Amino acid sequence: MTSRIFSVLLAVMALSVMITPTVAQDTDAFPVTIEHQYGSTTITEAPQRVVTIGYTEQDFLLAVGITPVAVRYWYGDENDAIFPWAEDKVEGDLPVVLNMPFGSINYEAILALEPDLISAVTAGITQEEYDVLSQIAPTISQTDAYISFGMPWQDVMQMVGDAVGKSAEAAAIVAAVDNQFADVRTQHPEFAGKSIAVAYAYEGTYGFYTSQDSRGRFFTDLGFVIPDELVEIAGESFYADVSAERVDLLDQDVIAIVNLQFIEGGREALESDPLFSQLKAVQEGRVIYLDEQSENALGFSSPLSLTYALDATLPQLEAVFGGSTVTITCEEGFRSVEHNLGELCIPVNPQRIAAIDLDALALMRLLDIQPVAYVGRFYDEWLKSTPEWGNGEAFVEGAIDVGYPVNVERLLTAQPDLIITNDSENYDQLNAIAPTILFDIYATNSTSWSDYSRYIGNILNANEETEAIIEQTEERIAVLSDLYQANVPSEVVSVILYGEFGILSGAPYFVYNQVMNQANIVRPEIQSLDSEEFDTVNEIYWQSLSEEQLNIVDADVLVMMISQNPDELAFTDELVSNIDADPLWSILNAVQNDRFYTVPYQRWISFDPYSVNRIIDDLFLTLLEVEPAEVAANPFIPTQSN
């Protein structure tokens, strides 16, 4: 059997755990009828308690926002059948784990769970098993178009989505992951047509999977081919063992070892085996090995695990083939741009832009490029911190508020031709709707506000207009620097964030720190560019401080960033109004010298030029105590007339 079934399946768990099912809102009309290998199953209403007895089916339900009440143990931790790539999708209680070896279904345990749907698409159940399960609850199985366990993940996803009233969402998920594989094939044409043996080994025996298995199909979806000779040997099965005399059958352009965690002695033992070591692919380094979690992801081959598997296999495949030198060729009307995930073809002149990124949306406002979709919650909070924004509401009038996390169906109705986001978690779904630029400002902890603006300006095909905005902003920073050096060259300015979460000092690469560094303003040690308090590798953005540690951030001028969230405003207002009487705050130099100021948090961490100019305004007022209009007027404060 497969390497997964080599694992020993233990006794059935006692069902003493109380279950709180999580039910996603249904979007399809019920009843729905699912056609499968044993006929059809009609589901009369949106399932509330789903039991999955397929070995990987939990992932497909979690992908559409439904946490099953029970799942089937396959291998690994016998108490938990939710793997790392799916953990953040679980809502409510963890599912009960049913330990049922293949061919042995505990009907009593399933009945006790009171399911209203049994999902057995990846279970390999027989007609007899289906008949009994159907007496407990409506049951769905795979179609007869494939051998047992051979149904492609795309079809599984769609069947499961249809069954729970999430057909559109399932289709979007399938399209998103399929697009990932299509992008890889485009980037790596060298994979196309190369032969591969998707191999395993155990107790001196070797074998391989065909494209009827999810592991084999993973590599054929990347462009590789499994030789006809291997397919013929497997016959109607999805795998086959090979004798010691025929281990040469595995000697293909690439060998992928997909059960390393089950090989005693691991890679070293395998490569020292006299049969395996003689293969030319082994001698020439054309073998890739998957670690335990990557094997797990490949074995599941679900829409949640496939990205994990791609991340693990692509670097090794690229090493085998010497990497890719391919540049994307875009069709007419499109151009190639770089983003966090590589190259992407986007419209030369996008007309319908969805800004799922507040910084990009604010730059669009300055450029007078109206969005078709945006995140209203973020924009509304930002408007509260920028009351002089003028007709900010009019700017998004007619645009669709897609919420956050993004409501995919709302976004679809906006019909964007380009999406800009900083949300990597939901990227695949967004990119399935329209070309999606992923640009996480903090991905490298080195992006400057000006580089970010130039990047987004280029995406918007507004390079000249954006450059003019940057030049005007940098001129104002130069004026700020000159006045600082002329009047208070040694004053130290400290910036902290305060709220119910406590006191935080921000990393040197935050935008307000960038502006102050450009203006040559002296900072406390903890906030300086060479501060060792922040780990940019592990993405530590904030240093948490207690009130007893306030002396670390004390300075001649202390600026406190405050969230515009009403709950936090009420909390911080109490401190600000009584700060002179607070024994820990009142002893600070900045408080004693009346050089303590508050500013809106949202605009002090936003990378767009408008926010940068408001930071400049605030620094003129707090540091130099002069009105910006008197020395360097802000040209980017919109009014009702513009």
Side-chain angles (χ1 to χ4, degrees):
M1 257 305 173
T2 72
S3 60
R4 307 312 180 198
I5 302 174
F6 299 151
S7 302
V8 177
L9 298 177
L10 305 179
V12 178
M13 294 180 62
L15 296 176
S16 59
V17 181
M18 295 299 292
I19 303 299
T20 303
T22 300
V23 181
Q25 183 179 2
D26 58 295
T27 56
D28 295 350
F30 284 86
V32 297
T33 298
I34 306 298
E35 303 290 340
H36 52 76
Q37 63 183 336
Y38 299 126
S40 63
T41 297
T42 297
I43 304 162
T44 58
E45 57 186 1
Q48 306 293 305
R49 297 178 63 82
V50 184
V51 170
T52 68
I53 64 169
Y55 292 101
T56 64
E57 236 141 306
Q58 59 267 42
D59 276 16
F60 296 87
L61 280 163
L62 291 168
V64 291
I66 294 180
T67 300
V69 296
V71 301
R72 188 176 192 172
Y73 173 73
W74 186 10
Y75 66 96
D77 184 348
E78 64 186 83
N79 297 313
D80 183 9
I82 305 298
F83 283 74
W85 52 80
E87 287 174 347
D88 63 347
K89 301 293 184 181
V90 175
E91 298 182 9
D93 294 335
L94 284 170
V96 164
V97 180
L98 299 173
N99 195 323
M100 302 184 298
F102 179 69
S104 176
I105 296 178
N106 189 333
Y107 300 108
E108 292 78 10
I110 296 172
L111 179 63
L113 288 163
E114 300 181 353
D116 50 18
L117 175 66
I118 300 172
S119 189
V121 184
T122 65
I125 60 174
T126 65
Q127 176 75 63
E128 292 74 20
E129 290 170 331
Y130 170 78
D131 292 340
V132 177
L133 290 168
S134 295
Q135 294 179 45
I136 299 174
T139 301
I140 59 174
S141 179
Q142 72 170 76
T143 67
D144 58 7
Y146 305 94
I147 63 175
S148 191
F149 299 106
M151 192 168 173
W153 71 265
Q154 295 94 328
D155 293 348
V156 176
M157 183 70 259
Q158 195 60 61
M159 178 181 281
V160 171
D162 292 346
V164 297
K166 296 284 187 177
S167 56
E169 189 171 344
I173 291 169
V174 169
V177 180
D178 277 344
N179 282 343
Q180 279 189 284
F181 279 85
D183 289 344
V184 173
R185 291 194 299 272
T186 299
Q187 285 291 307
H188 295 281
E190 69 273 20
F191 295 170
K194 293 295 191 300
S195 65
I196 190 167
V198 184
Y200 58 83
Y202 68 99
E203 298 177 354
T205 299
Y206 291 92
F208 59 87
Y209 297 106
T210 72
S211 57
Q212 290 288 334
D213 177 77
S214 59
R215 283 151 288 208
R217 191 176 290 121
F218 173 87
F219 289 98
T220 58
D221 283 347
L222 294 177
F224 294 95
V225 297
I226 295 174
D228 291 341
E229 185 177 15
L230 297 185
V231 175
E232 291 171 4
I233 291 171
E236 295 188 2
S237 180
F238 59 88
Y239 73 101
D241 290 344
V242 297
S243 65
E245 296 77 18
R246 293 311 319 271
V247 72
D248 61 291
L249 288 168
L250 304 182
D251 204 0
Q252 304 298 329
D253 292 325
V254 180
I255 301 173
I257 299 297
V258 295
N259 77 322
L260 190 63
Q261 62 178 302
F262 298 105
I263 300 174
E264 186 176 354
R267 176 174 176 174
E268 183 177 345
L270 184 61
E271 291 186 338
S272 63
D273 179 87
L275 293 174
F276 189 72
S277 62
Q278 70 180 350
L279 301 181
K280 190 175 182 181
V282 177
Q283 295 173 354
E284 295 181 357
R286 290 185 277 109
V287 184
I288 69 170
Y289 301 87
L290 278 71
D291 62 25
E292 178 177 354
Q293 210 60 274
S294 303
E295 288 179 15
N296 296 341
L298 186 60
F300 263 72
S301 284
S302 75
L304 299 182
S305 73
L306 283 167
T307 297
Y308 195 108
L310 281 172
D311 289 343
T313 54
L314 280 179
Q316 294 192 67
L317 289 170
E318 289 169 349
V320 168
F321 290 97
S324 173
T325 58
V326 176
T327 299
I328 289 180
T329 300
C330 301
E331 61 184 79
E332 186 175 356
F334 287 76
R335 62 190 173 101
S336 174
V337 297
E338 293 280 347
H339 70 141
N340 286 167
L341 298 180
E343 287 186 84
L344 180 72
C345 290
I346 67 170
V348 171
N349 189 23
Q351 300 297 307
R352 300 183 60 81
I353 302 167
I356 318 300
D357 180 296
L358 184 55
D359 298 289
L361 185 65
L363 178 59
M364 290 170 63
R365 175 64 180 84
L366 287 182
L367 295 169
D368 199 24
I369 299 174
Q370 195 166 19
V372 296
Y374 72 112
V375 178
R377 177 168 67 88
F378 294 162
Y379 191 59
D380 289 344
E381 288 182 3
W382 192 80
L383 278 176
K384 292 174 186 175
S385 73
T386 56
E388 71 286 355
W389 189 245
N391 60 346
E393 291 87 350
F395 172 61
V396 295
E397 185 177 358
I400 295 175
D401 178 359
V402 296
Y404 197 86
V406 173
N407 184 309
V408 174
E409 292 181 356
R410 284 189 206 164
L411 184 57
L412 278 168
T413 63
Q415 299 181 323
D417 59 9
L418 178 67
I419 301 170
I420 303 174
T421 185
N422 59 10
D423 179 13
S424 60
E425 182 176 349
N426 298 302
Y427 177 83
D428 294 336
Q429 289 190 54
L430 301 182
N431 196 47
I433 296 172
T436 300
I437 291 291
L438 173 66
F439 193 83
D440 182 355
I441 292 172
Y442 298 119
T444 63
N445 302 329
S446 61
T447 304
S448 69
W449 69 265
S450 53
D451 285 346
Y452 171 78
S453 300
R454 289 188 179 97
Y455 178 80
I456 298 299
N458 177 55
I459 298 300
L460 300 172
N461 197 22
N463 293 296
E464 291 185 10
E465 299 89 337
T466 303
E467 196 60 42
I469 291 171
I470 293 171
E471 289 178 4
Q472 288 178 283
T473 303
E474 289 181 336
E475 288 172 2
R476 299 190 74 222
I477 293 176
V479 173
L480 174 64
S481 179
D482 289 344
L483 288 176
Y484 171 78
Q485 297 298 330
N487 293 280
V488 286
S490 61
E491 274 200 339
V492 179
V493 184
S494 179
V495 182
I496 60 172
L497 174 61
Y498 181 75
E500 290 185 298
F501 39 72
I503 305 164
L504 303 177
S505 178
Y509 39 81
F510 276 1
V511 67
Y512 61 85
N513 279 324
Q514 291 184 21
V515 174
M516 296 170 78
N517 290 326
Q518 281 186 270
N520 299 304
I521 295 171
V522 180
R523 315 300 314 289
E525 177 62 29
I526 192 175
Q527 297 167 357
S528 65
L529 282 174
D530 57 355
S531 172
E532 297 180 357
E533 299 293 333
F534 299 93
D535 185 346
T536 59
V537 175
N538 293 315
E539 300 182 346
I540 298 176
Y541 299 147
W542 298 99
Q543 179 72 12
S544 180
L545 302 171
S546 66
E547 288 192 328
E548 288 75 19
Q549 295 175 300
L550 280 170
N551 62 299
I552 298 175
V553 292
D554 193 12
D556 299 300
V557 179
L558 179 60
V559 179
M560 178 191 291
M561 297 185 293
I562 297 175
S563 170
Q564 299 304 293
N565 180 292
D567 294 335
E568 293 188 58
L569 271 177
F571 180 81
T572 52
D573 281 348
E574 182 178 353
L575 169 71
V576 173
S577 61
N578 298 289
I579 198 165
D580 290 329
D582 190 299
L584 293 175
W585 289 84
S586 61
I587 61 174
L588 299 179
N589 289 328
V591 175
Q592 290 182 348
N593 296 326
D594 199 25
R595 302 295 302 280
F596 169 78
Y597 305 91
T598 61
V599 295
Y601 161 66
Q602 282 82 356
R603 77 182 182 211
W604 268 57
I605 65 164
S606 297
F607 274 64
D608 65 275
Y610 175 74
S611 296
V612 169
N613 276 275
R614 289 302 285 116
I615 294 171
I616 297 169
D617 290 346
D618 290 336
L619 288 171
F620 276 129
L621 291 168
T622 59
L623 180 58
L624 299 168
E625 299 182 339
V626 298
E627 289 291 337
E630 297 176 5
V631 289
N634 187 339
F636 304 117
I637 298 180
T639 64
Q640 295 292 341
S641 62
N642 64 11

